[in-house]
Amino acid sequence: MVNFSAAFVFLFCLSIANGMAQDRYAVHFKYKPDAAFSLSQPEAFLTAKSLARRERDKVLLDSTDLPVSEKYIEAISPYINRFIYHSKWLNASVVYAGEEEIQHISALDFVSEIKLVAKGGPGVLESSTKNYKIKRKKKHKKKAKDAANFSFQNNILGITDMHEAGYTGEGVLVAIFDAGFLNVDKIPAFEHLFEDQKIYATKDLVLPGSTSVFRTDTHGTGTLSLMASYDPENLIAGAYGANYILCITEDVDTEYRIEEYNWVKAAEFADSLGVDLINSSLGYNFFDDSAMNYSKADLDGQTAIITKGAGMAADKGILVVSSVGNEGNISWKTITVPSDAKTIISVGAINSNFNKAGFSSVGPSVDDRIKPELVAYGTGVTLWRHEEGTSNSSGTSFSAPQVAALAVGLREANPDWTNKKLRAQLLLSGTQFTQPDNEIGYGVPDFTRAMFGKMEVEEEMDGKLPAKIYPNPLIKNELLIEFGIDTKCTMTLFSSDGKRVRVLELERNKNNFPYSVSMEILNPGIYLVELQDSSSVSTVKLWKK
């Protein structure tokens, strides 16, 4: 048991001896013995939306969902200058304290380890805002111009098709972690977020006493604009109908590992509110204190604190979308954390020729996983950062939120999909899903392909390749079919309600050529295509537009 009277005397003496020599540390605990909360009563520490997401994904509650023990917080309190915050996922308290005080804390039997996470002290105590409101004059929303500058970046992902199908992210809760959201409360393209109360919550983890995240930097403003902007003449983003949690986790003045802890704390906050998706256009490898630097051997999906946090978020049913990094043209070249996490989507950048942008980091992870998983347009991206108007910026920071916006629309369209299913469908929709590489991963995703599957529903047995039909969706008339090893097959078309529409006998000259069939008389809609030859049967989906 801690002797608190002695502890206060000890602290007083240290404060004289140490003066201002205090830094920020993460104190990690061994256990969670506190009986104040119970996994049998999760509503005491998680919202109904957060619990519903866990139920959808069949995620069991565990000790990481419980808060840090009040007993431990109380025990170390006399030895620190200030608590910055507590992380339940990491079972740690981030504190401001002197080196000798930390040595004293490290001797406590319930402390597992203590890590220096930043030099110097933080701002004032943590605060947050929820349902941020501001009075604005409502403006009529005009129809988007056909030749808008942003059309290319939207069209390659099928964002226009997604909007035409009625999906803009309504009802989906998105968190964005970044360096600041300066000018968001002034830019016209964000007016609907305030008018419709779509900024669900905010938190500043860098300056915890701040009551506003609309400060410091426009990097987060740019990422938010690529998800939430609605300005028909300048930029309509993919998920302007979603609700947003905005968190500052990146300190633009210094670079220390506390920013990783900030990220995890923000993820916990967003998780507790029931977030569906996190977009993180941040990456780390080198720090102001070189002892904190990561090596390429650390890119294993389980070493970095921020990578652990991203993986935990994904395990709790949250889709995490992370920029892969802009190291492609410099000596590091490869990915940064947390894009090495195993169950997230890391996003690289392509140029207008659909080639990898030179700056876009390449994979693989150290354990030889494909990285990045997906790519989007990232050179000269149209976005909002300043009141004066849109501008162009490059980087994977600005390709990632475009993919995140696509994922938000798919989440709205498919609320019953698990996080694992949503991630899988996005990968399956990539332009080079069958031949991924470590430059652009599985390729450029697309709404239609992700929405309606990989085009093959079942794989053939005995090592035979699955059937493929393309183009899909079918816009013109000719449909090409790769199926089986015979030169003849029967194709049966069924409507979405199961009615047989047509039966066709197909032939080809060689079995390594695709079958070709005209679909000119087929009405627009979703169909099941059953293919059968002498040795195999396969069923695939077709969308005739």
Side-chain angles (χ1 to χ4, degrees), residues 1-12 14-15 18 22-23 25 27 71-83 95-108 110-111 114:
M1 181 178 293
V2 177
N3 185 323
F4 289 104
S5 297
F8 280 115
V9 173
F10 173 79
L11 179 61
F12 176 74
L14 283 178
S15 65
N18 292 342
Q22 299 195 1
D23 297 309
Y25 297 86
V27 181
K71 182 190 300 185
Y72 292 165
I73 294 171
E74 181 181 350
I76 70 170
S77 180
Y79 303 97
I80 65 155
N81 180 293
R82 182 187 308 167
F83 286 109
V95 304
Y96 179 41
E99 185 175 351
E100 291 186 49
E101 299 162 294
I102 289 300
Q103 290 177 356
H104 185 82
I105 294 173
S106 67
L108 299 173
F110 55 81
V111 174
I114 300 179

Side-chain angles (χ1 to χ4, degrees), residues 132-367:
Y132 187 92
K133 301 177 183 179
I134 188 169
K135 289 184 179 179
R136 290 179 169 275
K137 184 178 179 181
K138 201 160 188 174
K139 293 184 178 181
H140 178 65
K141 294 176 179 178
K142 296 173 285 184
K143 185 177 179 180
K145 292 182 177 180
D146 291 337
N149 291 332
F150 56 87
S151 61
F152 176 78
Q153 63 198 48
N154 277 355
N155 288 343
I156 65 172
L157 299 176
I159 296 298
T160 302
D161 292 337
M162 187 172 80
H163 289 173
E164 289 179 353
Y167 303 116
T168 63
E170 287 289 341
V172 180
L173 185 57
V174 179
I176 298 181
F177 302 163
D178 219 292
F181 302 91
L182 185 66
N183 299 324
V184 165
D185 54 344
K186 300 174 182 177
I187 292 172
F190 295 124
E191 286 185 352
H192 66 288
L193 299 181
F194 298 96
E195 293 170 355
D196 301 332
Q197 298 183 34
K198 288 186 173 296
I199 298 181
Y200 186 79
T202 68
K203 187 178 284 288
D204 189 337
L205 278 302
V206 173
L207 184 62
S210 172
T211 58
S212 173
V213 296
F214 308 118
R215 67 171 190 88
T216 304
D217 198 88
T218 62
H219 189 272
T221 309
T223 60
L224 176 64
S225 75
L226 290 163
M227 296 192 73
S229 173
Y230 188 91
D231 179 353
E233 294 187 354
N234 295 290
L235 176 61
I236 296 178
Y240 63 84
N243 298 315
Y244 289 89
I245 300 168
L246 306 180
C247 296
I248 297 179
T249 65
E250 164 76 9
D251 189 339
V252 296
D253 295 323
T254 61
E255 195 83 321
Y256 291 114
R257 283 197 182 181
I258 192 170
E259 293 167 42
E260 296 186 63
Y261 284 82
N262 292 346
W263 195 103
V264 177
K265 179 62 178 177
E268 295 173 19
F269 173 64
D271 168 46
S272 71
L273 297 176
V275 74
D276 296 296
L277 180 146
I278 293 171
N279 181 80
S280 171
S281 290
L282 303 168
Y284 301 95
N285 53 358
F286 300 131
F287 298 89
D288 291 348
D289 181 348
S290 61
M292 297 182 182
N293 290 351
Y294 289 114
S295 69
K296 292 180 180 179
D298 294 322
L299 304 174
D300 58 2
Q302 58 188 12
T303 295
I305 286 293
I306 193 171
T307 297
K308 291 178 180 178
M312 293 178 74
D315 290 343
K316 295 178 188 295
I318 303 166
L319 184 66
V320 178
V321 178
S322 172
S323 57
V324 78
N326 300 326
E327 312 290 326
N329 283 332
I330 58 179
S331 59
W332 181 264
K333 291 193 181 300
T334 192
I335 60 177
T336 54
V337 300
S339 63
D340 64 316
K342 295 180 180 180
T343 50
I344 70 166
I345 291 179
S346 61
V347 181
I350 56 170
N351 57 30
S352 58
N353 294 321
F354 291 85
N355 297 319
K356 184 187 83 72
F359 56 77
S360 188
S361 292
V362 298
S365 62
V366 72
D367 53 335

Side-chain angles (χ1 to χ4, degrees), residues 506-520:
L506 307 183
E507 291 189 28
R508 58 185 172 183
N509 292 329
K510 296 181 180 180
N511 63 6
N512 61 342
F513 286 6
Y515 293 102
S516 175
V517 58
S518 173
M519 294 285 105
E520 184 175 3

Side-chain angles (χ1 to χ4, degrees), residues 22 32 43 69 112 179 372 404 444 523:
Q22 299 195 1
K32 282 191 175 178
E43 61 276 1
S69 171
S112 62
V444 181
N523 294 324

Side-chain angles (χ1 to χ4, degrees), residues 413-433:
N414 303 278
D416 296 330
W417 280 4
T418 63
N419 179 46
K420 183 178 180 180
K421 170 71 171 176
L422 175 57
R423 180 178 182 272
Q425 290 302 118
L426 282 162
L427 299 189
L428 292 172
S429 76
T431 50
Q432 57 178 43
F433 170 72

Side-chain angles (χ1 to χ4, degrees), residues 483-502:
F483 168 69
I485 58 174
D486 293 352
T487 56
K488 297 181 180 180
C489 79
T490 301
M491 183 179 86
T492 306
L493 282 170
F494 296 91
S495 62
S496 58
D497 59 1
K499 295 179 180 179
R500 188 166 65 181
V501 177
R502 293 183 70 188

Side-chain angles (χ1 to χ4, degrees), residues 46 49-66 88-89 267-268 271-272 275-276 309-319 343 419:
L46 294 171
K49 184 171 173 59
S50 180
L51 294 171
R53 188 191 65 240
R54 285 167 166 78
E55 174 63 25
R56 181 200 68 205
D57 281 30
K58 307 303 178 188
V59 175
L60 298 177
L61 294 168
D62 60 29
S63 63
T64 63
D65 295 305
L66 293 172
K88 61 182 179 180
W89 288 6
E268 295 173 19
D271 168 46
S272 71
V275 74
D276 296 296
M312 293 178 74
D315 290 343
K316 295 178 188 295
I318 303 166
L319 184 66
T343 50
N419 179 46

